[in-house]
């Protein structure tokens, strides 16, 4: 089987060796899922969009990471979610959901028919409230033993980021340190606290896995 980093480089995904190196971690985490008929979901399918000042109705011409996942997980159903339109991409194991993640009702409406997901990766806008909206909505849909991953914690887009909101990295660091979620909005912290019993492991990795650098990738394992 081809190494996941090799596949990322083959398809031009920034998850590989040319930039973030996420696939070095993912190749180890995802080995138990490779030959299983899992359901895999990725949010955020191509760099660019409103978080970079580009219209959501931009022209989209490629799906690097989706092509990578389809080759890596040979029996998986792959679900892609994005604010831009990728419905032109056709594959028997791929389905697309279009969604603006600015509110939880939007996410709930787009994903209402989903259940029993095995792996979720949030590589969408990286706005803190988008990440937190998605986690609160979708983490309960993971199967036991599933993985929830949030990428690019160190960067939030100025067009979307809400003033004063607790960053997602800080939110999960508070849980790692105190086993309770601390948030600028106590009601949001309470919603995360309500999910603690469903988490069997929570790990934060720094940029390129270097301890002195900023938090970059979150991995949460479902009990």
């Amino acid at each position: 089987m081809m190494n996941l980093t090799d596949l990322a480089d083959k398809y031009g995904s920034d998850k590989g060796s040319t930039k973030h190196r996420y696939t070095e971690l993912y190749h180890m985490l995802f080995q138990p899922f490779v030959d299983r008929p899992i359901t895999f979901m990725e949010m955020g399918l191509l760099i660019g969009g409103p978080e970079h000042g580009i219209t959501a109705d931009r022209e989209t011409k490629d799906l690097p990471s989706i092509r990578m996942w389809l080759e890596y997980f040979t029996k998986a159903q792959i679900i892609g979610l994005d604010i831009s339109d990728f419905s032109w991409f056709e594959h028997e194991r791929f389905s697309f959901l279009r969604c603006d993640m600015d509110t939880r009702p939007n996410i709930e409406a787009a994903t209402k028919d989903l259940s029993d997901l095995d792996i979720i990766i949030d590589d969408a806008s990286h706005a803190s409230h988008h990440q937190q909206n998605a986690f609160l909505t979708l983490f309960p849909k993971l199967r036991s033993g599933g993985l929830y991953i949030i990428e690019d914690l160190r960067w939030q887009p100025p067009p979307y980021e809400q003033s004063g909101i607790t960053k997602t990295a800080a939110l999960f660091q508070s849980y790692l340190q105190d086993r309770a979620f601390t948030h600028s909005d106590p009601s949001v912290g309470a919603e995360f606290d309500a999910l603690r019993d469903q988490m069997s492991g929570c790990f934060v990795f720094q940029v390129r896995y270097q301890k002195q650098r900023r938090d970059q990738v979150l991995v949460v394992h479902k009990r």
Side-chain angles (χ1 to χ4, degrees), residues 4-5 7-24 26 42 44-48 51-52 62-66 68-69 121 123-124 126 151-152 154-155 208-209 216-217:
L4 184 57
T5 300
L7 284 176
D9 294 347
K10 171 183 174 181
Y11 288 111
S13 169
D14 65 5
K15 300 182 193 298
S17 68
T18 61
K19 191 171 185 181
H20 294 305
R21 294 173 47 193
Y22 298 149
T23 50
E24 297 175 20
Y26 297 166
E42 182 169 33
L45 306 182
L46 186 67
I47 190 169
E51 70 274 18
H52 292 285
D62 198 9
L63 279 170
S65 61
I66 293 298
M68 173 182 72
W69 299 128
I121 294 181
D123 185 24
H126 314 307
E151 297 182 351
D152 300 341
R154 65 179 177 80
W155 180 79
R208 291 179 171 263
Y209 315 110
Q216 180 78 327
V217 183

Side-chain angles (χ1 to χ4, degrees), residues 44-139:
L45 306 182
L46 186 67
I47 190 169
E51 70 274 18
H52 292 285
I54 302 170
T55 176
D57 294 322
R58 62 187 169 135
E59 184 179 10
T60 58
K61 295 182 177 180
D62 198 9
L63 279 170
S65 61
I66 293 298
R67 296 183 193 277
M68 173 182 72
W69 299 128
L70 285 166
E71 184 168 344
Y72 188 70
F73 295 111
T74 59
K75 299 178 182 178
Q77 294 297 316
I78 308 293
I79 300 166
L81 182 148
D82 201 280
I83 194 172
S84 298
D85 185 14
F86 292 86
S87 59
W88 52 264
F89 183 80
E90 296 183 0
H91 190 284
E92 61 184 3
R93 291 189 290 110
F94 174 76
S95 57
F96 173 68
L97 304 173
R98 191 169 186 181
C99 177
D100 181 342
M101 297 170 66
D102 205 48
T103 69
R104 286 175 63 184
N106 287 351
I107 301 170
E108 291 164 358
T111 63
K112 60 183 173 56
D113 295 327
L114 300 183
S115 62
D116 299 329
L117 300 164
D118 295 282
I119 299 171
I120 299 172
I121 294 181
D122 183 349
D123 185 24
S125 75
H126 314 307
S128 300
H129 69 293
H130 287 192
Q131 293 168 336
Q132 295 160 27
N133 287 341
F135 189 92
L136 291 171
T137 303
L138 297 175
F139 186 75

